[in-house]
Amino acid sequence: MSKDNQVLEEFTSKEYEHGWTVNLEADSAPKGLNEDIVRFISAKKNEPEWLLEWRLKAYRHWTTMKEPRWPNVTYPAINYQDIIYYSAPKQKVQPKSLEDVDPELIKTFEKLGISLTEQKRLTGVAVDAVIDSVSVATTFKEKLGELGIIFCSFSEAVREHPELVKKYLGSVVPPNDNYFAALNSAVFSDGSFCYIPKGVKCPMELSTYFRINAANTGQFERTLIVAEEASYVSYLEGCTAPMRDENQLHAAVVELYAMKDAEIKYSTVQNWYPGDKNGKGGIYNFVTKRGLCAGDHSKISWTQVETGSAITWKYPSCILKGDYSSGEFYSVAVTNNFQQADTGTKMIHIGKNSKSRVVSKGISAGKSQNSYRGQVHILKRAENARNFSQCDSLLMGDQCGAHTFPYIDVENKSAHVEHEATTSKIGEDQIFYCLQRGIDEEAAVALIVNGYAKEVLKQLPMEFAVEAQKLLALTLEGSVG
Amino acid sequence: MLRIKNLHARVEEKQILNGINLEVKPGEVHAIMGPNGSGKSTLASVLAGREDFEVTEGTVEFLGKDLLEMEPEDRAREGIFLAFQYPVEIPGVSTVNFMKTALNKIREYRGQDTLDAVSFLTLMKEKIKLVEIDPSLLSRSLNEGFSGGEKKRNEIFQMAMLEPKLAILDETDSGLDIDALRIVANGVNKLRTKDNATIVVTHYQRLLEYIVPDYVHVLYKGKIVKSGSKELALELEEKGYDWIKSEVEVA
């Protein structure tokens, strides 16, 4: 056995850290999907009539659509009738404050390193915790409320701020946008809602932590962030799931809406269960994320560190409608074993002098396949639009694949579009250099990979960057090429 | 400190070292000279534990331990330092970060506490002075975009930081102009103590004007064919390697 294969072999014995489950009593819908299930979910949440209608419309549209087959990933057909579309951890009373939250739930999140107890948190990060389909707790609500910031679960937003939800829901990702967005629109159960009023700079990081716990359950959450004129918010999202033999579907929708001079920074550290070393189990992460730079000089920035999921299908995008608006996409996508990722971004330039920047760093190891798919579209009215894209691939071992699919459509001659791409391997020379300085192989790989991904990692808020670095090292432990 | 006995090594099917014998004691500086392809760099690599080379015969003892049994990282942690002929670039990793990782790994191995940020920076400041390196270089990506001289100076800085017991300088003079050579050599000289030793691998006598060796060994066809004092280097410079070659052939 060659040395490469040997170390790869070693790696495969590495286990997923968050692969435990807790016994939470759950309140679930029966398996399968039809109009009654949609009604069931809506009724469970005591939703207003308009939202039920919105869901049903999405459901009816979904039934006419076909699952997309263009991503560079393969998986057996999903039986949509074999999935539970609603599962909520049972709570005796609707929690009014943290004291009312089931201690078992608090423990669950503490196990993940997320404390829902406000006074225990050292840094100013407000958390909305979503388990299976339901938001269980949101911290720092009152403090944020003083500034007029709304940060709550989606269900609460529907109850307390129906006018805002009605106005913005589906305004960036319409229910019929794509197959998985339509599915989400029909059955979404909860998620986070965030509203930053005019001129307010949100003083702390807002964060949602998603956890799938129940078996055979799909998770379909929705996040909606609205930033009014000249406001600012930085938002973090983290996710984990137990180890299970079957594949679980996660089809989320995230919508960002930025008005004039507003800025939204959205960061994700995605660590869904990736399946075992033979490719069994793992999350199908089919997610639609899009931001609209609606006003002039608005800015939306996506940063993602993708290490988990059996399959990732995800293109956080920006519609640059406002003049001088700007969009950014920073991504590190790591695949190992049999993971498949088809991820990238779309930058749609409509506004004059709009600009976008794409930095994508793919890392492939094991027998995995890692694709970057990105579109830069400069529309006719987008005078002086600028785009810079850089797509780098790093290969470890000789059994993985890295692919790049850039699409560039330019309809205005004044546009400046740049695309750079590189492919490299972690060299034996680099490893030996580290070894000779007393740094062992695992630490060397972590050092080299973190260096490679630095441009993206430095975009993350401090607390997340440390977590992301550790995660990268853990995901790639031992897999040297 | 280092005792090499009858060392044979090959890369793939090619035999390169054919029975090296060498003993290095604390406080000594040994120069290994020889024509191109004589096995100088191979010897340096074998001692550092590079896997491309297979040791087919012989033993190497370092501070009483069997060096050949040790993993490359453990050799480094035991106190062997190789200043590379071609230092490797690692994008996105600064020398500071690299050294902090290395130093703490070594300290961990030796059962010492890892250094906190303040003590590390204090140590670094001291060494920066010692080897006269531009501090701004140290926060840039390791060796990326460095000139030949900057790379070599960076190697010596790393050596200063890690304080090895045995330093092996592999063609450290190659690609250096005379000023850079002097600075690098000064650094090495300042790091000399009665407890550590240095092996200087070089093609030219030039470096030995600055780093004065106690012994000079001439390597030819994978064997040490002549050993002597520092005057041997001068003789070599004057007569050229053909002199050695013919002497060996006659014998």
Side-chain angles (χ1 to χ4, degrees):
Chain A
M1 200 192 294
S2 80
K3 183 168 177 285
D4 285 7
N5 288 342
Q6 218 175 322
V7 280
L8 286 174
E9 200 81 341
E10 272 167 35
F11 164 77
T12 50
S13 54
K14 195 79 213 167
E15 288 198 18
Y16 181 69
E17 200 188 4
H18 299 292
W20 39 270
T21 51
V22 277
N23 285 323
L24 292 171
E25 243 189 291
D27 182 6
S28 306
K31 268 186 186 177
L33 182 56
N34 52 49
E35 288 203 9
D36 286 343
I37 292 288
V38 176
R39 286 175 201 281
F40 172 90
I41 294 170
S42 189
K44 272 276 168 202
K45 313 205 74 83
N46 291 319
E47 284 176 356
E49 190 61 24
W50 67 265
L51 192 50
L52 173 62
E53 280 312 312
W54 195 84
R55 286 176 179 276
L56 286 171
K57 215 173 137 192
Y59 170 74
R60 286 170 200 140
H61 195 89
W62 178 73
T63 58
T64 68
M65 298 171 93
K66 277 208 167 65
E67 205 177 307
R69 282 290 166 195
W70 48 262
N72 189 27
V73 297
T74 51
Y75 55 94
I78 298 171
N79 181 356
Y80 290 92
Q81 298 306 330
D82 200 33
I83 294 171
I84 295 168
Y85 288 86
Y86 180 84
S87 172
K90 241 182 213 164
Q91 298 206 58
K92 284 161 202 87
V93 283
Q94 188 66 33
K96 289 249 173 343
S97 71
L98 282 166
E99 285 83 62
D100 298 338
V101 175
D102 183 348
E104 196 64 26
L105 277 173
I106 293 188
K107 263 194 251 159
T108 302
F109 279 91
E110 263 162 18
K111 226 168 156 178
L112 290 164
I114 299 154
S115 172
L116 299 179
T117 324
E118 289 178 9
Q119 57 270 32
K120 274 196 193 160
R121 296 199 62 92
L122 297 169
T123 46
V125 180
V127 180
D128 183 25
V130 176
I131 196 154
D132 289 338
S133 303
V134 169
S135 167
V136 292
T138 310
T139 61
F140 288 111
K141 242 180 196 170
E142 276 171 31
K143 197 173 168 196
L144 294 168
E146 285 164 19
L147 293 162
I149 295 169
I150 303 167
F151 178 46
C152 63
S153 74
F154 208 93
S155 312
E156 189 181 329
V158 170
R159 283 194 309 271
E160 308 288 328
H161 312 281
E163 68 300 334
L164 285 173
V165 176
K166 202 171 174 180
K167 187 171 173 191
Y168 293 106
L169 178 68
S171 63
V172 184
V173 179
N176 58 358
D177 186 80
N178 67 67
Y179 189 81
F180 295 110
L183 179 63
N184 173 288
S185 302
V187 302
F188 76 88
S189 29
D190 213 332
S192 297
F193 176 79
C194 170
Y195 177 84
I196 317 290
K198 190 171 166 178
V200 172
K201 313 268 180 231
C202 186
M204 61 176 84
E205 310 280 349
L206 301 186
S207 163
T208 302
Y209 211 95
F210 296 106
R211 169 89 184 163
I212 298 179
N213 194 56
N216 298 311
T217 310
Q219 177 148 320
F220 307 91
E221 80 276 358
R222 257 192 117 90
T223 303
L224 174 57
I225 300 174
V226 180
E228 289 281 6
E229 207 176 302
S231 66
Y232 167 83
V233 64
S234 169
Y235 195 90
L236 318 171
E237 176 202 276
C239 13
T240 56
M243 282 156 72
R244 292 189 189 283
D245 284 348
E246 80 277 0
N247 296 107
Q248 283 180 285
L249 180 62
H250 172 248
V253 170
V254 175
E255 299 179 276
L256 312 182
Y257 203 106
M259 314 289 184
K260 185 168 175 281
D261 296 318
E263 181 178 349
I264 303 174
K265 208 170 144 51
Y266 195 103
S267 314
T268 307
V269 174
Q270 186 262 104
N271 184 24
W272 292 120
Y273 176 53
D276 69 9
K277 60 180 177 177
N278 299 313
K280 196 169 186 201
I283 304 289
Y284 290 167
N285 191 35
F286 300 153
V287 171
T288 307
K289 292 185 168 179
R290 196 176 300 153
L292 175 64
C293 283
D296 295 351
H297 297 279
S298 56
K299 183 177 175 184
I300 287 177
S301 179
W302 297 101
T303 304
Q304 60 171 20
V305 175
E306 303 278 309
T307 61
S309 298
I311 301 178
T312 301
W313 180 98
K314 178 181 169 191
Y315 315 91
S317 304
C318 296
I319 301 171
L320 303 167
K321 193 170 160 224
D323 293 345
Y324 295 94
S325 62
S326 102
E328 290 175 338
F329 173 75
Y330 295 95
S331 168
V332 177
V334 187
T335 54
N336 202 342
N337 297 323
F338 285 88
Q339 280 178 275
Q340 306 174 66
D342 192 304
T343 184
T345 185
K346 282 193 275 186
M347 292 291 173
I348 313 293
H349 291 254
I350 303 170
K352 295 184 177 70
N353 299 297
S354 54
K355 61 177 193 230
S356 62
R357 182 178 170 82
V358 175
V359 177
S360 162
K361 304 264 180 183
I363 302 167
S364 334
K367 295 187 168 76
S368 69
Q369 296 295 327
N370 200 333
S371 302
Y372 168 81
R373 187 183 303 277
Q375 185 189 25
V376 176
H377 191 169
I378 314 275
L379 274 79
K380 219 173 202 158
R381 78 169 287 274
E383 274 308 307
N384 289 317
R386 297 235 177 315
N387 160 264
F388 172 77
S389 301
Q390 186 186 330
C391 304
D392 297 332
S393 309
L394 186 69
L395 297 165
M396 304 174 82
D398 51 11
Q399 299 182 64
C400 55
H403 316 267
T404 306
F405 304 96
Y407 304 85
I408 299 171
D409 303 305
V410 177
E411 294 169 28
N412 186 311
K413 279 184 186 159
S414 64
H416 278 251
V417 177
E418 285 175 75
H419 183 97
E420 283 178 15
T422 66
T423 303
S424 50
K425 264 188 103 162
I426 289 194
E428 271 175 37
D429 285 351
Q430 286 176 323
I431 300 279
F432 182 68
Y433 193 65
C434 295
L435 293 177
Q436 214 301 306
R437 298 300 185 251
I439 301 168
D440 56 82
E441 195 163 277
E442 282 183 7
V445 170
L447 196 70
I448 295 166
V449 165
N450 279 310
Y452 166 79
K454 192 180 170 193
E455 211 182 331
V456 174
L457 296 177
K458 74 179 184 199
Q459 298 295 328
L460 290 172
M462 196 56 187
E463 204 191 39
F464 247 35
V466 175
E467 190 186 332
Q469 273 185 20
K470 282 190 200 142
L471 198 56
L472 280 185
L474 196 71
T475 312
L476 290 166
E477 212 157 76
S479 51
V480 185
Chain B
M1 174 183 278
L2 181 76
R3 192 173 291 137
I4 304 176
K5 277 189 188 156
N6 194 29
L7 185 65
H8 289 68
R10 65 178 180 196
V11 59
E12 282 160 11
E13 290 309 300
K14 203 174 168 222
Q15 198 68 34
I16 299 183
L17 299 184
N18 293 304
I20 304 254
N21 292 292
L22 179 68
E23 183 162 358
V24 178
K25 295 199 179 77
E28 293 177 349
V29 175
H30 289 245
I32 309 259
M33 300 185 71
N36 289 329
S38 57
K40 300 187 301 282
S41 285
T42 300
L43 177 60
S45 294
V46 167
L47 293 178
R50 200 164 182 128
E51 289 200 355
D52 312 352
F53 300 94
E54 191 196 340
V55 174
T56 51
E57 223 185 309
T59 57
V60 181
E61 204 186 290
F62 178 64
L63 296 171
K65 291 182 185 166
D66 181 351
L67 187 73
L68 300 177
E69 277 298 303
M70 280 184 229
E71 294 293 330
E73 63 270 34
D74 287 342
R75 297 182 193 198
R77 293 163 182 174
E78 288 287 341
I80 287 192
F81 180 91
L82 174 64
F84 285 66
Q85 183 177 4
Y86 304 108
V88 179
E89 295 179 5
I90 306 184
V93 178
S94 67
T95 304
V96 178
N97 189 6
F98 185 62
M99 274 300 102
K100 196 162 183 233
T101 309
L103 195 62
N104 281 334
K105 284 283 177 188
I106 291 171
R107 293 180 66 93
E108 226 171 80
Y109 178 85
R110 295 177 183 167
Q112 297 164 312
D113 286 340
T114 53
L115 285 186
D116 59 46
V118 176
S119 358
F120 177 78
L121 288 174
T122 313
L123 178 71
M124 210 174 77
K125 257 190 189 156
E126 184 192 310
K127 305 296 182 183
I128 283 171
K129 248 195 191 154
L130 194 71
V131 300
E132 299 172 55
I133 191 165
D134 176 3
S136 73
L137 213 56
L138 303 179
S139 45
R140 281 169 47 188
S141 283
L142 189 59
N143 291 319
E144 202 181 36
F146 284 23
S147 71
E150 287 170 336
K151 283 183 186 173
K152 296 296 166 74
R153 225 176 287 179
N154 189 274
E155 292 291 290
I156 303 305
F157 168 72
Q158 292 183 33
M159 178 176 150
M161 289 296 291
L162 302 182
E163 297 175 342
K165 298 198 181 79
L166 174 67
I168 304 163
L169 311 182
D170 187 9
E171 309 260 4
T172 295
D173 49 339
S174 71
L176 289 191
D177 62 38
I178 199 75
D179 294 329
L181 189 71
R182 198 178 297 132
I183 293 173
V184 165
N186 269 342
V188 173
N189 287 333
K190 282 185 202 159
L191 296 171
R192 281 181 70 170
T193 70
K194 62 177 185 6
D195 299 319
N196 62 26
T198 312
I199 295 178
V200 182
V201 174
T202 181
H203 187 83
Y204 301 104
Q205 188 268 340
R206 200 174 66 151
L207 179 64
L208 305 181
E209 283 174 21
Y210 300 98
I211 304 173
V212 181
D214 300 304
Y215 301 96
V216 174
H217 310 278
V218 183
L219 203 60
Y220 180 56
K221 290 193 174 167
K223 265 187 155 162
I224 290 176
V225 292
K226 209 173 175 65
S227 295
S229 62
K230 62 181 182 201
E231 281 72 32
L232 178 59
L234 293 168
E235 203 175 348
L236 267 176
E237 184 80 356
E238 197 182 310
K239 298 186 183 170
Y241 284 112
D242 286 342
W243 162 62
I244 291 286
K245 286 181 194 173
S246 54
E247 207 168 79
V248 171
E249 307 300 326
V250 168

